[in-house]
Every structure is written in C-alpha cells, then in structure tokens.
Amino acid sequence: MPVFRVALDLPLHRLFDYVAPPTASRDDIGRRVRVPFGRGEKIGVVVDVADSGDWPLEQLKSAGDVLRDLPPLPADFFALCSFASTYYQAPFGEVVLQALPAGLKRCEPPTRRAVRPPVPGQPPVLPELTGEQAVAVAAVEPAAGFAAHLLHGVTGSGKTEVYLRLVERALAAGRQALLLVPEINLTPQLEERVRARFPQRTVVALHSELAEAARERNWRAAFAGDADIVLGTRLAIFTPLPRLGLIVIDEEHDASFKQQDGMRYSARDVAVVRARQAGVPVLLGSATPSLETWANAHGGRYGLLTLQERANRQATLPQIRILDTRRLPLQEGVSKVLVEGIRQRLERGEQSLVFLNRRGYAPVLACPSCGWVSRCQRCAANLVLHLADRRLRCHHCGFEHRVPKACPTCGNQDIHPYGRGTQRVEEWLQGEFPEARILRVDRDSVKSRKQWETMLERIHGGEAEILVGTQMLAKGHDFPKLTLVGVLGADSALYSADWRAPERLFAQLMQVAGRAGRAELKGEVVIQTQYPEHPLFASLVAHDYAGFAAGQLKEREQAGFPPYAFQAVLRAEAPQMADAIAFLKAAAALPLVAAHEQVMLYDPVPMRMARLASLERGQLLAESMSRPALQAFLPLWREAIEGIKAPAKLRWHLEVDPLEF
Ligand code: ADP
Ligand code: ZN
Ligand code: ZN
C-alpha cells in the first residue's frame, strides 16, 4: 500500500506520512489532500507517493480525499519552495502552504468565480522611447534565458515605461509577466496604468489587502495561465505561473520586499532565484538600488542599465539645498527660508510638501518638574502624543491611553509635548498660513486603500496648497504642481547605530526630492539639518547615487559588513531578558559551533528595541565571509538549537540576511 508524503503548514522540518487511498498514483503529487490531524482535519499537499514512509504502515493514519479542482502544483513550484526552505531555514510545509491562498487551505469546498475579463478599449498611444529607455528595453531579451539586470533610473526617468515595453514583449511571445511592487496601496495608479496599456489582456493583482475570494480567484487565474500579467506584492513571488516569461521588481531597494515575521524571506532575492530556475530574465528597478544589488551590478553578476535623464524633456531634476539649522532661527522646527518658499508657492498657485517621517503630534509627553515621560508599559519605547483624538499611543505594540490632565507621578498640571510630529507641524503651518488649505498625509489620516485613493484625488484636484506628510507621500506619485519639498527631522538617521540607516535615509530623501518638479515647473528641495557637512548631503545635492554608494560600500568592505559578509541572526524572546540571553548563550556554546571555523558568532545582546509587547528580546549574530560556509552551518545549527531545553514561554527564530537588528 503506497504512502502519501504530505507537506503540512506546521513549524516542523519534516513531511507527514499517510496511507494513500487505493486509487493513488504519482499523478497525485502536487495535489491538495485532506488528512486527519490531531482531533481535526487539515489540508496538505502531496509531495511524494512512496512505497514506505518513516514509520511502519500500521501506525499511519489514512489520508482522506485528494482534491482535484486544480491541476497538480508543478515541479518548478516545489523547486522554488525547496530553495526557500533550505536557504531561509523555513519548514518546507510552511513554505508550500504559505504560497496558497487561504481558500485553498480550508476543508470546505472552495468558491469559484471568474476573474474580471479584459474590457476591450482603445489601444493606447505609446510615447516614443528616449534613447536611454530604448537601450534598456533592447538589453533585456525574454527569449535569451536567465539574466538579471538592474535598471538604475533617476526619479521620473521612465522606468515604468521600460517595464511596460518588456511586459509587452513577453506577452507577444505568449508568456506571462510577474510585476512586483513594494506596497500596492501606495501605487493605485500603477494597476490602472497597466490595465490601460494592455486592454486586451487579463491583469490580476495579488496582495494581502485583497478580499479572500478575490485573491483566490486571481491566484487561480495566474496558476491556470489565464492571467497574462500578475501585479503583486512580495507574497506573489511564489505563485505558480505555467507560462512565466519575465519578472520585474519595482523599487527593488524597498524593505517591504523582506518579510519580517513568519517565514523571513526576501522576495527580491527569491525572484532572482526563480528567474534562474525558470530560465527567464529578471529586471530590478530603482532610483536608489540596495547596496547589495549595486554591488552585484558592479561585480558583473547583474547587467547594469542606466537612465540618467528625466523622460519628460521639460522636467529637470530639482535643485537640492542643504540648510544649516545651527545658524538659523526656527519656529516649530521650520526655518524662515522654508516658510518664505511656501509663501511664494502659495502666491504662484503651486504646491509645497513638508516631509517629516514622524506621525502624531509629538513623540513624547513629559513632566518638567519630576522627569516623568510617557513610556509604553509593554515596550522599550515612548508613547506618542496624538492630539487629534487626545490619545497616547505606542507605535510598536498598539497600546493606547487617554492623555492625562496632570502628571501621573507628581500631579503637576503643566506637562508638555516634546519634539514634533506631522500633526504639530500641520497645526503650526495652519496658524502661519490661515488661508491655505493644508492636507496631512500619514497613516493616521489615511487608513485604507480607499481613503488613499480619495486623498490622491484631492491632491491632484488641487484641493491642497500645502501637504504635510510622511514617507507615504514619497513613493512614485506625480503631482504636477508640486515645486517645493521641505525636509524636517532627518538628522537622527545620520549617526544612527544602525549601519544601514544612511542607505535608507539617502533612498528616502532622494525619493521625496523626486516628487518636486515632475512636470514643466522647476522643483526645489530644502533639507534642514544640523550636520550640513555630512557626506551624504554632498551626494544628494549632486544627485550622485553612484558616489554615495561607492562611499558606503567602501566603508562596509572595511568594516566587514554585508554585502562583503553574510549574516544570519538568531533571536529569542521571553518575559525575562536573562532567559533569552541564556538561551542564546547555549546556542553559541553548542559543540558544532567550534567545528565551523568559517562562521563567527558574536556575543548575545539585547536587541536595539529590547522590549516589545511585554517580551524581552535578545539576538545572536552569526557571520561568515563565505555564503556556502554559512549555508552549510545553518541547518546543523538549527537542528541542534531545537534540542536546547528552553523555558516554556521562550520563542526563537532564525533570520537569514537580516535587515534590522
Ligand atoms: P519613474 O518610474 O522612473 O519614476 P515614470 O515611468 O513614472 O518614471 O515616468 C515619469 C513620467 O514620464 C511619466 O509621466 C511618464 O508618462 C513619462 N514618460 C515616460 N517615458 C516617456 C517618454 N519616452 N516620453 C515622454 N514621456 C515619458
Ligand atoms: Zn511630574
Ligand atoms: Zn508598546
């Protein structure tokens, strides 16, 4: 009697064996199957049909029905899952099942609905490609097999147009295109732009905000080969596509391609592996590529395609000015120069954007007489003051509290907000410009995709002269009337202990600066700082990403940081820090560690955010100059760690290529 070897969504690194039904055959490999588990039932995926399993047949339970509503998941899907499972030390069953939409993992019969058919519309008029765009389009040849390319193009250089031309070519060759974007919510226009460009084609979206039924429907269309274009966020990278011909990753540097919980993978890196396995080209696009990708492009592993000019001939790159705030009087953190700039834009009927990446009214409320500060009881963080709804709120764990009328410790009624967030800047600007219409754009004022679309319409419709916003506003939008961007409060990232902070700051400032002067009107960017001599600003003013990247890479090479070293981090969280650290120490002292000389372990330390939601968190960094050496070490280490006796409430995980510590 044959045995089904089944992948189940469980945190265990093994398959589960069941006695297969009499009709079983190898054709069942890749199909979903109903299996008894504990006192209930689960849906798993048949990975193999074998003559015997790990256990004697009489100890095995029998599998239930094999579900035949879908064709079997193909071998290339399993190959990709297998790579991700090995590389990221994630249980294979978890990887396989996280790739399926929820509806396919439930025991009830699935819903069936058709995807939105293409609406035959006018074929769009295509702009003539710029010389640089034409070179880029010609360089990526869908028929030529695997190749990875970086498309490095300044903001507004027409990267999207390059993507669309390549998609067009892939479709013309009868293939499907997979286009990944960081956060689909922030770019609702992109979906429309893609649909408008390919009116005869089926375009489906795959992201976590879709209703469950819609996601399942879109996934089925992609898997069946009915969808020509799949537009998705990181989770879409595992979608099986029978005719895959091209993968595009837009804003490839964006941290949201990295999943930070559950299975911690980088969709960008998985995309490159997938393209290689499938023998298709992959294009990574950005104005500020990640340093990993930049190093790959310069080391010859990826092709490098460059767009240096803005696509719209009249649009030039904005002029960037660095304002030394040590010598300037500020009011609510805003300099006279910026105020004057805003006034001029108001007179000319243009728009200004004040960028401050901190929402709320003030980052902390404090008592000057006794030193009380509004701290979160559950995290190593302050509670942020939100005056709009009179709450103190933790931005890490969601804890909230009403604003006290007096100091909770000494009763002093004169407690103050310190520092400033978007609400406070908005309030002050409104006082300064009583006639102006100001729109604040952050996660408090925009909570859903619908609200975001409405907000974008209002901005485009000229309903605001001044925008105050966080990084939500920095990404990929064209506001033709926006000619002034002022940046406040960027300094904290300059001398951060996090060595990736400058890379993120540069990308963010470049992106927000790129909002100014997208059309005929010339743009100006004013950055207020106390450290005007910081080299990051010199590169920024010169729009010199390459110079900035070269400097950063040199520092990283000297310090032995990625991309010149390879890292994995073991994290442990427990009610007591001592337990977390003791566990990490035990992991560092395992006998196999000494045998792997090419892997170095640092001392266990508390994480930068040492306490989150009432759990204390420690970490242990493992590093090697050799990726194969690290990869050989990790599975053995993980298995040995699983054998460590830990307190019941301790949780741990391994993350490969961590971005944050
Ligand atoms: P990016 O994605 O690089 O920021 P976009 O693709 O959004 O840039 O292009 C910026 C603007 O330039 C858009 O309004 C787009 O329609 C326009 N554009 C792109 N390519 C061309 C071209 N070849 N000729 C004229 N306009 C173009
Ligand atoms: Zn007090
Ligand atoms: Zn908290």
Side-chain angles (χ1 to χ4, degrees), residues 232-244:
T233 51
R234 63 168 184 261
L235 61 87
I237 192 57
F238 289 99
T239 313
L241 299 165
R243 300 185 284 115
L244 179 64

Side-chain angles (χ1 to χ4, degrees), residues 316-320 345 482-484 516-517 521-525:
T316 46
L317 288 171
Q319 190 202 357
I320 301 177
R345 295 327 187 275
L482 181 69
T483 58
L484 174 65
L521 303 168
K522 177 120 183 89
E524 185 187 1
V525 178

Side-chain angles (χ1 to χ4, degrees), residues 181-189 191 205-207 209 231-233 449 452:
V181 295
E183 283 169 89
I184 231 156
N185 271 340
L186 297 186
T187 49
Q189 316 96 314
E191 194 176 335
L206 279 176
H207 54 87
E209 285 214 7
L231 184 60
T233 51
R449 180 181 167 112
W452 182 222

